[in-house]
Amino acid sequence: MKYRSVFDIIGPIMVGPSSSHTAGAVRIGLVARDLFGGTPAQADIYLYGSFMETYKGHGTDVALVAGLLGFDTDDSRIPESLELAKQSGLNVTFIEQDEEKSHPNTAVIHMKDGDKELTIEGISIGGGKIEIVALNGFPITISGNYPALLVFHQDSFGTIANVTQILGANRINVGQMQVSRKNKGEIALMTCELDDLIDERIIEEIRQCNGISTVTLMSEA
């Protein structure tokens, strides 16, 4: 495993008590908020494994909501996030799940605001580090450590090549790329972790490609 800084080893500057259950949970909430495009009006948070068993004692509940509100891991407002969510109009429901997941620190967040909906599944893997492993039911792997481009597109010949050609022409390096689909010929999801943020001009160029449905740029958490 490669580390970008000493904080990848000792964990982030944070409000405790736990880097996995608190700091990691904040970062899952932050990524969910980023992908949704802001704080949702409603968040149904499904907790699994260790998250489900200890979420109140270890502050996982307040941490996830703090992330949805845009607070970072060291924000002193984290312990008050549930009350601050009510004040801001964010309605949160926690649902405990007995189902076993591949990782014990798993949260699924279903966000809504009017007709807009998004569901992400995140895991906290230790030291404040996380992975997003599903988006709207599509399996993905995003660390949140790098900017990520998420492209929903028609599963058709040439679409992936068009996107990578645009990135290459603009000298954007792709650190990791994954394409997932539920059924052949239907909607697929392409995820690209990038070395650098890209500007709106490049994103709009990708949007104009045939077969592209939506394009979202996720910044670093």
Side-chain angles (χ1 to χ4, degrees):
M1 177 182 290
K2 294 183 179 180
Y3 297 102
R4 300 179 72 199
S5 75
V6 68
F7 294 107
D8 288 344
I9 302 172
I10 65 174
I13 300 171
M14 67 175 193
V15 173
S18 167
S19 61
S20 294
H21 290 82
T22 314
V26 171
R27 295 192 68 227
I28 290 172
L30 276 169
V31 171
R33 182 181 190 273
D34 193 10
L35 290 171
F36 192 73
T39 299
Q42 171 71 37
D44 297 322
I45 302 177
Y46 299 83
L47 300 169
Y48 299 81
S50 181
F51 268 8
M52 182 267 290
E53 293 169 356
T54 65
Y55 71 96
K56 292 182 179 179
H58 284 183
T60 305
D61 52 352
V62 297
L64 287 164
V65 173
L68 289 173
L69 291 172
F71 303 165
D72 210 338
T73 55
D74 60 350
D75 198 303
S76 62
R77 296 171 293 176
I78 290 173
E80 288 79 46
S81 66
L82 297 181
E83 182 57 37
L84 294 173
K86 292 179 183 177
Q87 295 175 14
S88 70
L90 167 57
N91 184 44
V92 181
T93 303
F94 291 98
I95 303 101
E96 299 178 10
Q97 298 288 310
D98 293 327
E99 174 191 347
E100 289 190 8
K101 289 284 190 178
S102 60
H103 196 282
N105 299 331
T106 297
V108 173
I109 306 177
H110 179 63
M111 297 163 285
K112 295 184 287 188
D113 193 346
D115 293 333
K116 185 178 180 181
E117 295 189 40
L118 186 72
T119 301
I120 71 116
E121 180 176 339
I123 60 175
S124 177
I125 60 177
K129 297 173 73 65
I130 68 165
E131 289 181 359
I132 304 302
V133 297
L135 177 65
N136 282 353
F138 288 89
I140 60 174
T141 303
I142 299 176
S143 68
N145 295 324
Y146 300 91
L149 188 69
L150 296 97
V151 182
F152 281 99
H153 61 93
Q154 192 69 30
D155 179 34
S156 57
F157 176 79
T159 305
I160 297 171
N162 289 338
V163 173
T164 56
Q165 285 173 4
I166 291 172
L167 294 174
N170 287 278
R171 303 184 66 81
I172 303 298
N173 193 49
V174 177
Q176 175 179 277
M177 182 176 178
Q178 180 182 3
V179 179
S180 59
R181 65 184 184 182
K182 295 180 180 179
N183 294 295
K184 181 179 178 180
E186 297 182 359
I187 291 294
L189 172 61
M190 180 191 330
T191 59
C192 305
E193 284 197 331
L194 311 174
D195 285 351
D196 302 288
L197 283 170
I198 58 176
D199 59 37
E200 183 60 31
R201 175 188 60 80
I202 300 172
I203 295 172
E204 185 58 33
E205 188 176 353
I206 294 172
R207 287 195 182 107
Q208 297 306 313
C209 292
N210 290 334
I212 300 297
S213 300
T214 62
V215 182
T216 302
L217 179 66
M218 187 190 85
S219 57
E220 299 175 68

